[in-house]
Amino acid sequence: MIEQLTKIVGPKNILTGADTAPYGTDISGMRTAQPLAVVRPATVDEVSGIVRLANQIPFPIIPVGGRTGLCGGAIGEAVIISFERMDAIREISAAAQTAVVEAGAILSNIHAAADAQNLVFPLTFGAKGSARVGGFLGTNAGGSNVVRYGNTRDLVLGIEAVLPTGEIVDLMSGLHKNNSGYDLRHLLIGSEGTLGIITAATLKLHPKPGAYATAMIGMQNLSDALPMLNEVQRETGGSVEAFEYMPHSYVQDYVNLNPAHKLPFDHPYPVNILIEIGALAPRDCIPNDAGEIPVVTYLESILGRYLESGLISDAIIAQTEAQRLDLWARREAAAEIASMRPNRLTNDVAVPLDKVETFLTRADAVLHDVDPGADTTVVAHLGDGNVHYTVWPSDDDPDRKERIMERVEDIVLDLGGSFSAEHGIGTAKLSSMTRRKDKAALAAMRAIKAALDPRNIMNPGKVLPPEQVE
């Protein structure tokens, strides 16, 4: 196998033994495995050759991007296909507002390339400096701007992919409408490399806002936040780009982690909301004679009314880009905060927007019942109902962890939510898939997997739990 792989990618682009160690874990550090080998192809034809060989011998293969996943989707005893050499941004079309990129392109580099054309690729999250296209397409990543722009699926017009047979499918059209049969693009996005390997994509870009209005808001009650979001959306014509919730315990954890920083307000508030509005119209973006940016002034007036009415208790509005980035630094430190202590349990759930507070209240009560000594850190994309409810159990008892997950899932199911919002399934949520996924849906997924990948070489053991014998 090694000899044949070396012929495909060359001796400099195959790693074995101890050299594969960095690819044996991900950013979570919670799972490890010894790769059989790591290959670093440079072209889609090389990827095709690797997959054809895997079918022939056979051996398992796992596509890997920046290894920033949190659910173990890119870990395993398999041949790792790393896309670090396929990192080109092939084209930015300002007229069509598209970007053609390879699977190894890093998200922050795409941001920079789009910015140079006065455009944005709006997908963003804390790991943007290392996450790669193949990874965030493979998990259908969400991030902080879903409230305005949608998930990854909503930002992809076309893909190029290698199927489990090694055949290359070219679906790289930049069309906004294409109703020619089954949408294989959307089938492969979110499949975590279990149905095929995405090697390139045509991404949808958007006009770059001419100005941002960004604020941190201190509130007493989370129940007041959603009506505020809806009112600001109406008043700004749907221009809210982010609406993020951080309780006081989270912002205090951030200060503990970064002693040079301080709490956002002189007085601590139980609810802290980060809101950002992106303005496009020149009338909202161009500073007036006093140097004031209209959209910022407008947000000030809105929040001023809320202060007078008592809806909010305090607010800080960024006046410079440095202040804006400082506000965002708190929110984007979520992964670091969750990693402050070992033995964590990550619940990445989605509930209807008006059920977030109900979920948190009920989850805290359940946690106290199952593990009175447990602690939590919470942060939420409040604008889309995605809650990151991270638990630090009082010990490393796997049965206790499973009970916590089950009880949290009970609440999510009762509220009409999902146990997986944006992190994917990997191996971390296989038990949740068994317990909670609709049985007919699971059967259909297994049928698709068996039809496309009958030899089960594509990231085996991920996404689909073992079939239960009745």
Side-chain angles (χ1 to χ4, degrees):
M1 179 189 73
I2 299 297
E3 181 181 349
Q4 292 298 315
L5 288 171
T6 302
K7 290 180 180 179
I8 295 171
V9 299
K12 293 183 178 179
N13 295 303
I14 183 165
L15 305 175
T16 58
D19 292 337
T20 67
Y23 300 84
T25 188
D26 57 23
I27 195 173
S28 74
M30 298 175 66
R31 302 163 192 87
T32 59
Q34 176 59 55
L36 302 178
V38 176
V39 288
R40 300 181 294 196
T43 67
V44 65
D45 289 328
E46 290 183 358
V47 176
S48 173
I50 295 165
V51 175
R52 289 181 189 277
L53 180 64
N55 249 315
Q56 176 187 332
I57 290 184
F59 55 83
I61 51 180
I62 300 175
V64 168
R67 305 194 302 281
T68 57
L70 296 171
C71 294
I75 305 300
E77 295 180 1
V79 170
I80 303 297
I81 303 178
S82 172
F83 283 88
E84 58 206 84
R85 296 177 66 217
M86 294 179 64
D87 63 350
I89 298 172
R90 295 177 184 168
E91 178 188 2
I92 300 287
S93 172
Q97 297 189 40
T98 58
V100 178
V101 298
E102 294 181 345
I106 293 174
L107 180 54
S108 60
N109 292 345
I110 299 171
H111 289 165
D115 184 75
Q117 298 293 329
N118 203 32
L119 298 168
V120 293
F121 180 60
L123 180 70
T124 187
F125 42 79
K128 59 182 176 288
S130 50
R132 298 177 186 267
V133 169
F136 63 72
L137 265 63
T139 56
N140 186 34
S144 300
N145 288 350
V146 171
V147 64
R148 185 171 192 177
Y149 299 103
N151 288 307
T152 294
R153 275 197 180 97
D154 303 302
L155 300 171
V156 181
L157 296 173
I159 61 169
E160 172 191 83
V162 176
L163 297 179
T165 57
E167 295 172 285
I168 300 169
V169 290
D170 185 351
L171 307 172
M172 287 289 283
S173 146
L175 298 176
H176 287 256
K177 292 183 177 179
N178 184 352
N179 204 14
S180 55
Y182 300 142
D183 197 331
L184 297 179
R185 167 192 50 159
H186 280 182
L187 180 62
L188 292 181
I189 295 172
S191 69
E192 299 185 43
T194 61
L195 302 177
I197 300 175
I198 296 172
T199 53
T202 302
L203 306 178
K204 184 191 301 183
L205 305 180
H206 289 262
K208 179 183 176 181
Y212 291 101
T214 309
M216 185 74 77
I217 302 168
M219 306 179 68
Q220 299 295 335
N221 302 302
L222 187 56
S223 58
D224 291 331
L226 188 58
M228 180 176 68
L229 168 62
N230 294 336
E231 186 171 344
V232 175
Q233 287 282 44
R234 284 192 295 270
E235 294 200 30
T236 63
S239 297
V240 176
E241 300 218 339
F243 197 74
E244 305 289 299
Y245 163 60
M246 292 163 279
H248 172 68
S249 58
Y250 175 92
V251 294
Q252 183 62 61
D253 283 339
Y254 176 77
V255 173
N256 295 341
L257 191 65
N258 301 275
H261 292 253
K262 61 180 183 178
L263 294 172
F265 304 104
D266 294 334
H267 178 82
Y269 296 105
V271 176
N272 298 270
I273 300 292
L274 175 64
I275 185 172
E276 181 158 277
I277 298 168
L280 292 171
R283 65 177 180 271
D284 297 324
C285 305
I286 299 174
N288 59 23
D289 293 340
E292 299 167 330
I293 300 174
V295 68
V296 176
T297 303
Y298 191 50
L299 180 58
E300 288 174 346
S301 68
I302 293 173
L303 296 182
R305 295 203 313 266
Y306 293 161
L307 280 166
E308 290 178 3
S309 69
L311 182 68
I312 67 176
S313 301
D314 208 342
I316 297 171
I317 302 176
Q319 299 298 323
T320 66
E321 181 65 9
Q323 291 175 0
R324 172 179 174 252
L325 294 177
D326 183 65
L327 293 180
W328 270 107
R330 292 181 177 87
R331 175 58 186 88
E332 293 186 337
E336 297 173 74
I337 291 171
S339 302
M340 286 173 61
R341 310 180 210 175
N343 188 33
R344 69 186 178 277
L345 181 62
T346 301
N347 293 283
D348 163 44
V349 305
V351 295
L353 272 65
D354 59 347
K355 303 296 183 185
V356 170
E357 185 175 35
T358 301
F359 165 77
L360 290 171
T361 300
R362 292 176 60 180
D364 285 347
V366 159
L367 182 61
H368 184 267
D369 180 47
V370 177
D371 186 359
D375 200 0
T376 64
T377 182
V378 175
V379 69
H381 304 297
L382 198 58
D384 60 49
N386 178 191
V387 183
H388 299 292
Y389 187 77
T390 300
V391 178
W392 292 300
S394 58
D395 57 43
D396 200 23
D397 180 2
D399 291 335
R400 189 196 301 272
K401 287 183 177 180
E402 202 66 21
R403 287 199 304 274
I404 292 172
M405 284 186 66
E406 286 193 54
R407 295 290 297 276
V408 169
E409 289 167 12
D410 286 339
I411 300 168
V412 170
L413 185 66
D414 185 57
L415 296 176
S418 170
F419 60 84
S420 180
E422 64 179 3
H423 291 169
I425 303 300
T427 57
K429 299 178 185 175
L430 290 177
S431 60
S432 301
M433 287 286 281
T434 300
R435 286 190 295 266
R436 308 298 179 181
K437 195 66 180 178
D438 180 87
K439 302 306 178 187
L442 266 180
M445 291 178 188
R446 290 190 176 106
I448 293 169
K449 171 71 169 174
L452 292 180
D453 183 23
R455 306 203 76 175
N456 195 27
I457 63 169
M458 306 294 289
N459 208 2
K462 314 294 170 50
V463 181
L464 294 174
E467 195 162 2
Q468 300 294 304
V469 178
E470 298 293 339

